[in-house]
Amino acid sequence: MYQIYPRSFADSNGDGVGDLNGITRHLDHLQRLGVTVVWLSPHFDSPNADNGYDIRDYRKVLAQFGTMTDFDRMLAAMKKRGMRLIIDLVVNHTSDEHRWFVEAKKGASNPYRDYYIWRPGKAGAGIASSAPNNYPSFFGGSAWTQARPGDDYYLHYFAVKQPDLNWDNRKVRSEIYDLMRFWLDKGVSGFRMDVIPFISKDPAFPDLTTDQLQHPDRVYADGPRVHDYLKEMRREVLSKYDTMTVGEAVGVTPEKGPLFTDQTRGELDMIFRFEGVNIGRDGWRTKAWSLPVLKRFYTDLDISAGTSGWNTSFIGNHDKARAIDALGDGSPASAKALATMMLTLRGTPFLYQGDEIGMTNYPWTDIGQFDDIAARNLWRDQVLSGKVAPAELLPELAKTSRDNARTPMQWTAGTAAGFTTGKPWLPVNPNHATVNVAAEAADPGSVLAYYRRMLALRQTTPALIYGAFHDVDPAHPQVFAYTRIMGANRYLVVINFSARPVGYTLPAGITPRAVAITTAVSTGTTLPNGTLALAPWQASVYRM
Ligand code: NOJ
């Protein structure tokens, strides 16, 4: 799977914003890489308060991205190459400019009122806030806003411009199922479902406790009817088509993950779990992390899938800082190590655009350079309110901001990295002089060349896809070593997760025989006593 963030992928008409024709033009790159399915981040009509995750019209293509004809052409071109397309289903909320909400806010008797969630404010002297309860929004402040003074409050887990839909209303669910059919009938093969665990709300809206306020997402992801609705969606829509679904499982605890993905339950096919990619994060701050904790997460995740579930494997997406900086050390060697891990864990890999060439975080120096609503609201709430010094927030934001993943795709060393002939909507990383598709395609030692080889190996090696996963050395602080075994086909993956060389002695009974792939320059690295001499960030896959 390959995730395209259309705004930042390729601009075909020089307006500085990526578009669908830009994607169609670059399908060779995806095919050469070995991509078989594309996940397209939202391409729908939107006022872009949250870059398309605020949809105004689910059946219209965003004008900046092109037309429905462009969409059909892109889809046909993908199919011709044997690729499938899944699109983003953002139905926890709409834009406040969606016609349903424009109607709903006209008043309590409007037929669309109940498409959204409204509650009266708390009245009385001495209360801290008159919002119906203390739910916070992910983008700062309360999750409740009044459409106008004196009116009830509507719920929005995200921005003020992203009102949450009322899934308890059967009409809302029918509208959503219809729009899903609209796109499936066009030939898309499924959906990545945005914050799908949040769709069901506790209608009593009790205040969160102090503990719950540490992780409101866990409460939001545990509504009373979420599983009923997902089963209904499968019955009424998904089961009628040949589809694949992946849910964004924000707030889903390890024990609850399988409830979404166990195939015997008839809900989703896979979910994204974020503990791995978030390991070095504490909100907007970075934090120290240790390899054994990361390894423990992957083992638990693997066990939780059981025999009738399946996982995803990913190191980045449009909401995360670049993997090479967050989990690696910014070096191409660390990008290759991470690629090896992502492509050999037991789960369907989702590769985020640009990671295949080792794109890094942007060297931000000023808050004015950021576009993301999350970054701008955070600055407002923390710095402009006087809580945190600018010199404290800016360097952390530079490391953790979502905009790091959204700078334009680097195609060439030329102007604007070959992304656009105009002025790019977000700055292009200056390292495009060396980190770009054209240069890396010509260099057998590049990150891109390694991704191509690693993907080819994975696709021709069933044991690396389906084989049982076993961490052979969970406590080792520097090396991640695991086996993938399917009958007689036995593989060992060894990754030096650090910039320091290490002499690594494998646990007894684990014997590598031949190297299937390695990031090392020379493969003759087995020392006589069975110790592997691993270079910084070296990753190797061996046949056993
Ligand atoms: C998750 C999406 O990935 C993110 O980009 C967006 O801001 C929120 N959901 C709200 O839709």
Side-chain angles (χ1 to χ4, degrees):
M1 315 282 311
Y2 184 94
Q3 183 191 352
I4 293 183
Y5 193 68
R7 180 165 293 273
S8 305
F9 191 64
D11 172 22
S12 72
N13 63 359
D15 66 358
V17 172
D19 48 42
L20 302 185
N21 288 338
I23 297 172
T24 309
R25 264 189 211 172
H26 283 286
L27 293 180
D28 274 350
H29 170 63
L30 302 192
Q31 194 167 26
R32 182 69 193 75
L33 196 54
V35 170
T36 52
V37 185
V38 171
W39 152 28
L40 183 65
S41 274
H43 63 282
F44 314 94
D45 178 47
S46 161
N48 290 308
D50 186 20
N51 281 346
Y53 284 92
D54 49 321
I55 297 173
R56 182 163 49 201
D57 185 340
Y58 288 100
R59 293 168 200 237
K60 204 168 148 201
V61 172
L62 178 72
Q64 281 180 316
F65 291 173
T67 62
M68 194 61 92
T69 310
D70 298 333
F71 180 89
D72 292 338
R73 198 182 312 119
M74 176 189 76
L75 181 55
M78 288 176 177
K79 291 207 165 156
K80 218 166 116 195
R81 289 162 194 266
M83 290 177 200
R84 303 244 212 152
L85 173 67
I86 65 166
I87 58 173
D88 227 301
L89 185 72
V90 188
V91 288
N92 172 69
H93 46 268
T94 67
S95 164
D96 66 338
E97 297 182 29
H98 193 290
R99 83 183 158 79
W100 301 334
F101 193 74
V102 172
E103 287 298 317
K105 71 179 185 194
K106 286 183 182 164
S109 60
N110 188 280
Y112 288 93
R113 184 72 167 186
D114 196 39
Y115 272 43
Y116 296 88
I117 298 161
W118 302 86
R119 290 290 183 279
K122 280 185 199 149
I127 52 166
S129 154
S130 53
N133 79 355
N134 65 356
Y135 278 15
S137 146
F138 288 103
F139 292 156
S142 167
W144 297 96
T145 294
Q146 275 171 306
R148 53 170 188 276
D151 198 354
D152 281 351
Y153 288 71
Y154 66 89
L155 181 69
H156 55 90
Y157 282 169
F158 294 88
V160 171
K161 281 182 71 63
Q162 291 168 297
D164 280 41
L165 283 163
N166 175 16
W167 274 69
D168 293 336
N169 180 345
R170 170 72 232 192
K171 277 198 228 149
V172 167
R173 304 204 301 280
S174 298
E175 299 259 21
I176 291 167
Y177 301 158
D178 275 351
L179 75 90
M180 292 171 74
R181 289 187 200 101
F182 171 84
W183 291 100
L184 289 166
D185 288 338
K186 266 193 172 293
V188 311
S189 297
F191 303 95
R192 173 269 186 185
M193 300 188 184
D194 193 67
V195 293
I196 198 71
F198 293 178
I199 55 177
S200 166
K201 277 87 182 173
D202 178 348
F205 289 105
D207 272 333
L208 298 179
T209 62
T210 313
D211 275 356
Q212 287 173 326
L213 276 166
Q214 301 304 308
H215 288 286
D217 54 328
R218 292 192 191 151
V219 176
Y220 297 172
D222 202 21
R225 299 192 61 192
V226 58
H227 297 291
D228 297 339
Y229 295 151
L230 290 177
K231 288 195 177 77
E232 180 183 81
M233 181 195 275
R234 175 150 304 268
R235 258 193 332 268
E236 296 198 14
V237 187
L238 297 168
S239 63
K240 317 267 196 250
Y241 297 82
D242 181 19
T243 60
M244 188 281 284
T245 55
V246 54
E248 188 198 20
V250 182
V252 173
T253 55
E255 317 77 61
K256 298 225 160 131
L259 296 178
F260 291 86
T261 52
D262 189 311
Q263 293 297 287
T264 59
R265 292 171 53 86
E267 297 190 21
L268 303 177
D269 295 313
M270 295 176 273
I271 54 171
F272 294 126
R273 288 270 310 277
F274 293 96
E275 291 90 329
V277 292
N278 286 343
I279 191 159
R281 291 281 300 266
D282 180 8
W284 52 266
R285 288 187 169 85
T286 49
K287 67 169 188 211
W289 59 278
S290 77
L291 185 60
V293 174
L294 185 74
K295 296 196 275 191
R296 181 77 235 165
F297 164 68
Y298 283 123
T299 292
D300 289 349
L301 184 67
D302 187 65
I303 293 169
S304 75
T307 49
S308 54
W310 189 246
N311 278 318
T312 55
S313 163
F314 65 103
I315 53 173
N317 64 30
H318 65 291
D319 292 331
K320 299 289 150 207
R322 283 287 175 181
I324 188 175
D325 290 308
L327 298 170
D329 67 353
S331 66
S334 67
K336 293 177 192 173
L338 292 167
T340 310
M341 179 182 80
M342 174 176 65
L343 295 169
T344 58
L345 286 172
R346 200 172 72 101
T348 296
F350 282 74
L351 170 57
Y352 181 65
Q353 73 183 37
D355 281 352
E356 78 276 27
I357 54 171
M359 277 180 66
T360 66
N361 285 349
Y362 183 83
W364 311 100
T365 51
D366 190 289
I367 186 63
Q369 295 168 316
F370 291 86
D371 166 85
D372 181 19
I373 184 168
R376 287 185 282 112
N377 285 1
L378 185 70
W379 192 262
R380 180 196 65 198
D381 295 350
Q382 301 294 332
V383 172
L384 302 185
S385 70
K387 278 191 219 143
V388 171
E392 189 184 347
L393 183 53
L394 190 64
E396 288 293 316
L397 205 50
K399 284 186 265 181
T400 59
S401 166
R402 312 197 293 180
D403 278 335
N404 284 303
R406 301 175 180 186
T407 62
M409 178 74 183
Q410 296 165 202
W411 296 102
T412 69
T415 320
F419 163 73
T420 179
T421 54
K423 184 179 175 322
W425 73 278
L426 204 61
V428 173
N429 197 311
N431 68 12
H432 74 275
T434 49
V435 179
N436 67 71
V437 173
E440 295 192 29
D443 172 5
S446 67
V447 174
L448 177 60
Y450 184 73
Y451 259 98
R452 287 175 175 174
R453 284 196 292 134
M454 185 62 237
L455 263 158
L457 174 68
R458 181 179 190 279
Q459 280 164 347
T460 50
T461 312
L464 290 180
I465 301 174
Y466 302 108
F469 166 89
H470 178 62
D471 181 346
V472 298
D473 197 356
H476 198 285
Q478 198 179 345
V479 175
F480 195 5
Y482 50 92
T483 51
R484 297 297 311 278
I485 294 179
M486 193 164 92
N489 297 309
R490 298 151 57 82
Y491 287 81
L492 169 70
V493 181
V494 180
I495 304 170
N496 177 3
F497 241 87
S498 81
R500 284 164 290 122
V502 58
Y504 179 58
T505 308
L506 282 158
I510 305 283
T511 316
R513 301 239 178 259
V515 174
I517 193 170
T518 181
T519 63
V521 181
S522 130
T523 57
T525 47
T526 310
L527 305 178
N529 58 357
T531 297
L532 302 172
L534 301 175
W537 293 106
Q538 180 176 332
S540 303
V541 180
Y542 304 90
R543 292 190 185 86
M544 293 168 66

